[in-house]
Each structure stands twice: as C-alpha cells, then as structure tokens.
C-alpha cells in the first residue's frame, strides 16, 4: 500500500483531493472533495465525507470512492482523536460516497434498505467502471462492503456518546436518501439531496419529491450544511439545489410544450445562473434529456 501511495504522489504531486479535513463545528469534521467528475487527476475524490466525534467514539458519514479514500479519511480521524469508529453511515448509493467502507471494518455500516438494494444491484458494475476510469492503482484493494444495519424512517441514534439523527424524507435524489444531523451542533450532512457549485444528478431522483424534500430540509433550520458536493460549510446549498431543479423543470417543460425536439431542447435548455457549476456541460445535459423523455412518457400514458 505504501508503494502505491508513493507512486500516486509522484503522478499527482499536489492534489486538492488530498486536503486535510475541515472542522466545521465542534467535533464535526469534513474531508472535502474536489469539483467535477471523478477522473485520475482527482483520484475520483469528488464527494464530501465527514465524521462526528463523540465522547466515546466516532461516527463516519460516507466513506469515499475507494479504499484508499476511506483510509485517507481514517487518517484524518486519527489526526483528531484516538477514539474508535463505532458507526459508518452511507447516505445514499452513489459511487463516490461508499467504496471506502472497507477501510472501517469491523465498524458496522448503516444505510436505508433501498440504498443497500441499489448497492447490491449495480455497485459491482460501478466498481468495474471506476477501475477503468481511474486506474487499478487508485482503486487497489477496493471492494463493495454492504451495510449490515438499515433504517427506513427517521431515527435518533445514541452512539459514540453523541445524539445523531438519521433523517429519511422519502425518495429525493435517490430512493434511500438519508440525511445526518448532529444534534449537538446542528450540523446537517445532506448527501446528494443538496449540492453547491456542482450540478445535481437527476438519474435516480424524483424531481417533484426532491423539491418537497428540500423544503423539509430548509425547515430543519440546521446551523451548518454539509452538502454532498461542493464547499463546506455551504449555507446556501439547499436553496441553490432547489432553484436549479425548479429552473430545470420550468425550462424543459417550456421547450417541450412549445414543440421542441429532444435535440433542440438539449441545445436550448440553458440555465445561465448555473453555468459556472461543475458538471454543467455534461450532467446538466443528462438531466435535460431525462426530464424530456419523462415528459414524453407522461404524454404516452394519457
């Protein structure tokens, strides 16, 4: 493993993805990801991962895109505390948030049942793609570790000497979205339900329910917001994600109802307010296509 890390440092000598964890509140730290899509230059480390330090143990919130990413997060934990990791929470089934689970064994992992089901059905394929995309060295030792504990509704956990509320607001960005609220500091990890400066991916989402969930997140009045992607903390992430989804829906519907073809809509569905967000040239087009095809399907069912 040391040899692999040494080689990576030679190839990628000064990566933002290797930044130190950021303390966002007392006992709450985040290892920030880098903007954009997973690629060799950022080691695939685009998602935010974090940890909450209690009186007797540590709760980890998401674990990264690879075993090495999980080990980097664990190293950051050890810079802060020698307390054991007592729980890992996977907020949702997206590749850059879960493949570091193996670095934390034998600590138990927890997720929503729908997240575990998605991980079982597609994460082996995702892992193959990541190996091709990022390279074998980056993904060395990475394997899928499924959470053995599940929660299907909002639950308050007393673990590691800390009260942590695991919140399920229904199907939003994915069917099994969990948000994690540290009740001591009011810090909320949103997973991919909210992003800042990065276009959210509609692939697994239910747009109307996602917007409803964001309204519910805003009503929580969290003191700190840690989005799945983007800078931390990000107090505007919830409203910014909501605005993007609303504008996406409005613009695609306008073009569709005006008779625009799919190709025309892909070219004309511009949202200038979000053009500077990472993924605008790629993920935004995918979102436009998915929503357009969903509108066509609605018409066919009438």
């Amino acid at each position: 493993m040391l040899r692999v890390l040494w080689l990576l440092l030679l190839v990628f000598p000064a990566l933002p993805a290797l930044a130190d964890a950021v303390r966002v509140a007392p006992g709450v730290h985040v290892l920030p990801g880098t903007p954009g899509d997973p690629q060799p230059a950022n080691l695939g480390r685009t998602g935010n991962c974090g940890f909450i330090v209690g009186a007797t143990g540590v709760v980890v919130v998401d674990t990264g895109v690879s075993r090495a990413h999980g080990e980097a997060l664990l190293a950051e934990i050890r810079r802060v505390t020698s307390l054991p990791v007592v729980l890992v929470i996977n907020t949702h089934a997206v590749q850059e948030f879960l493949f570091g689970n193996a670095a934390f064994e034998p600590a138990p992992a927890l997720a929503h049942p729908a997240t575990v089901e998605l991980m079982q059905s597609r994460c082996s394929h995702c892992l193959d793609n990541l190996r091709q995309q990022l390279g074998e060295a980056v993904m060395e030792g990475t394997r899928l570790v499924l959470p053995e504990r599940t929660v299907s509704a909002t639950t308050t956990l007393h673990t590691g000497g800390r009260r942590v509320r695991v919140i399920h607001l229904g199907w939003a960005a994915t069917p099994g979205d969990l948000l994690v609220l540290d009740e001591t500091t009011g810090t909320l990890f949103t997973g991919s339900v909210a992003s800042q400066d990065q276009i959210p991916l509609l692939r697994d989402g239910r747009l109307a329910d996602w917007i409803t969930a964001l309204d519910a997140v805003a009503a929580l009045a969290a003191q700190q917001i840690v989005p799945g992607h983007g800078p931390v903390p990000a107090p505007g992430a919830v409203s910014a994600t909501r605005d993007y989804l609303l504008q996406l829906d409005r613009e695609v519907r306008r073009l569709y109802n005006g008779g625009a073809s799919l190709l025309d809509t892909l070219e004309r569905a511009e949202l200038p307010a979000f053009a500077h967000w990472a993924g605008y040239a790629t993920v935004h087009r995918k979102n436009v296509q998915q929503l357009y095809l969903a509108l066509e399907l609605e018409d066919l069912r009438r």
Side-chain angles (χ1 to χ4, degrees), residues 33 86 145:
V86 295
V145 176

Side-chain angles (χ1 to χ4, degrees), residues 18-43:
L18 298 177
D20 293 341
V22 177
R23 179 182 181 272
V24 297
V28 183
H29 303 257
V30 178
L31 185 61
T34 57
D37 297 327
Q39 54 186 293
N42 59 30
L43 304 182

Side-chain angles (χ1 to χ4, degrees), residues 87-228:
L87 182 67
V88 170
I89 301 174
N90 293 133
T91 60
H92 62 302
V94 171
Q95 60 188 19
E96 56 261 42
F97 296 92
L98 56 85
F99 278 119
N101 282 11
F104 296 94
E105 290 181 310
L110 175 147
H112 189 279
T115 291
V116 177
E117 184 177 343
L118 269 181
M119 290 171 71
Q120 287 176 315
S121 66
R122 74 182 184 194
C123 281
S124 293
H125 180 64
C126 291
L127 184 53
D128 290 340
N129 286 342
L130 285 169
R131 287 193 177 109
Q132 293 182 7
Q133 187 177 7
L134 302 178
E136 291 290 344
V138 173
M139 300 303 294
E140 184 180 11
T142 302
R143 58 188 175 85
L144 178 62
V145 176
L146 294 172
E148 60 268 35
R149 293 177 56 184
T150 60
V151 293
S152 56
T154 298
T155 304
T156 298
L157 306 173
H158 302 264
T159 184
R162 201 91 165 192
R163 285 172 56 91
V164 176
R165 195 187 323 164
V166 179
I167 302 167
H168 179 60
L169 298 172
W171 191 324
T174 74
D177 291 311
L178 294 179
L179 293 84
V180 179
L181 177 66
D182 173 51
E183 294 191 349
T184 301
T185 64
T187 302
L188 182 68
F189 292 81
T190 70
S192 285
V193 172
S195 300
Q196 183 69 48
D197 296 342
Q198 180 150 327
I199 299 295
L201 181 61
L202 190 58
R203 177 186 61 180
D204 296 320
R206 289 181 174 175
L207 193 144
D209 293 335
W210 194 343
I211 293 169
T212 299
L214 287 165
D215 290 336
V217 174
L220 293 171
Q223 296 299 306
Q224 301 277 0
I225 295 290
V226 179

